[in-house]
Amino acid sequence: MKTILVPTDFSEAARNAALYAISFAKQVQAKRIILYNAFQSPVVTDPNMALVDVVDIKELQKSSEENLQRFKMILKPFCSPDITIDTISEYGMLAVDINDVCQAQHADAIVMGVTGTGKLSETLIGSFAIDVARHAKIPVIIVPPGAGFTEINEIMLACDFSKVVESTPVGPIKRILDETGARLFVVHVDHNKKHYTEETPFESLMLDTLLQGYKPEYHF
């Protein structure tokens, strides 16, 4: 794992996620962190206002770039000398463009915060972080508000034992396990065997085959 992409809107939650990314980079020996800001024109709801007169794209770009540089300077003291912090500012939609950015920058993982003060489940609903996680083709680490980094020694894989070959991202899971040296726990929740089928034992065996060599510990 060499490059970590950190989407940011310059909020406190984004700052916390960036600090998490720096510590995570140290553990996995990543060499590059990219602070990424995708900006858009404000939505005009007044039909009497002309969209073309509302905003100057160049001003948006300038503001985004200046904020990225300030954000970078805030983070630099927390970053070891062997990690490079780069910045990218682009006009676009984060969830839509995320894979193009990751491919162009050879990103191995995304770390981003989620804004909100309520319960985590309430905070995540409708968040950009969930949109990114749904669309991204590389691992996404979502950092809840106020969550600090602790070294990753244990990883949980929630699995429903349904079409595991098609649905399990084996490659990314193995890469994270290799980079962190963490233990893997596979957790399956099925109240009163409501979702148990004749295929379940076979699917669980297939998962164990996919994860051969990583010695997962199963919990039901």
Side-chain angles (χ1 to χ4, degrees):
M1 192 172 293
K2 301 301 180 185
T3 301
I4 298 172
L5 184 75
V6 183
T8 181
D9 59 2
F10 313 113
S11 63
E12 185 60 32
R15 179 182 180 275
N16 185 56
L19 291 173
Y20 186 102
I22 289 172
S23 296
F24 178 63
K26 292 175 183 176
Q27 182 181 1
V28 299
Q29 299 181 344
K31 299 301 181 184
R32 184 183 181 216
I33 291 175
I34 303 172
L35 304 177
Y36 175 71
N37 177 243
F39 60 91
Q40 291 178 268
S41 303
V43 177
V44 177
T45 57
D46 188 341
N48 297 316
M49 293 182 67
L51 178 61
V52 69
D53 296 327
V54 171
V55 66
D56 186 335
I57 298 299
K58 290 183 178 178
E59 284 299 315
L60 286 176
Q61 177 88 36
K62 181 182 177 183
S63 175
S64 173
E65 291 173 351
E66 289 176 349
N67 283 326
L68 279 170
Q69 288 305 314
R70 281 194 287 267
F71 197 46
K72 176 180 176 178
M73 296 310 296
I74 291 172
L75 297 173
K76 266 223 167 225
F78 300 95
C79 204
S80 58
D82 59 336
I83 297 177
T84 301
I85 300 180
D86 292 328
T87 62
I88 296 176
S89 171
E90 288 185 337
Y91 182 86
M93 296 180 64
L94 179 60
V96 173
D97 301 329
I98 192 66
N99 287 314
D100 292 337
V101 176
C102 290
Q103 185 175 2
Q105 300 300 323
H106 305 289
D108 300 296
I110 299 168
V111 177
M112 65 185 299
V114 56
T115 305
T117 56
K119 296 177 182 178
L120 182 58
S121 58
E122 296 170 356
T123 300
L124 287 174
I125 293 174
S127 74
F128 283 118
I130 290 300
D131 286 340
V132 170
R134 287 190 178 123
H135 288 90
K137 296 179 181 179
I138 63 173
V140 180
I141 297 177
I142 299 175
V143 183
F149 179 84
T150 55
E151 192 168 276
I152 299 173
N153 296 314
E154 296 177 344
I155 292 174
M156 184 185 78
L157 171 63
C159 183
D160 60 4
F161 293 138
S162 176
K163 299 181 179 178
V164 296
V165 174
E166 298 93 330
S167 63
T168 307
V170 178
I173 291 171
K174 288 182 176 180
R175 282 197 295 274
I176 292 177
L177 290 171
D178 291 337
E179 296 281 357
T180 61
R183 295 173 61 199
L184 177 62
F185 297 85
V186 177
V187 178
H188 176 69
V189 179
D190 188 1
H191 184 62
N192 290 333
K193 295 188 176 182
K194 183 179 179 180
H195 301 288
Y196 185 92
T197 70
E198 60 181 15
E199 295 295 322
T200 301
F202 173 75
E203 293 288 344
S204 64
L205 180 61
M206 288 302 298
L207 181 65
D208 201 51
T209 302
L210 292 173
L211 298 173
Q212 189 173 8
Y214 289 86
K215 299 178 180 178
E217 184 176 308
Y218 292 88
H219 295 264
F220 298 88

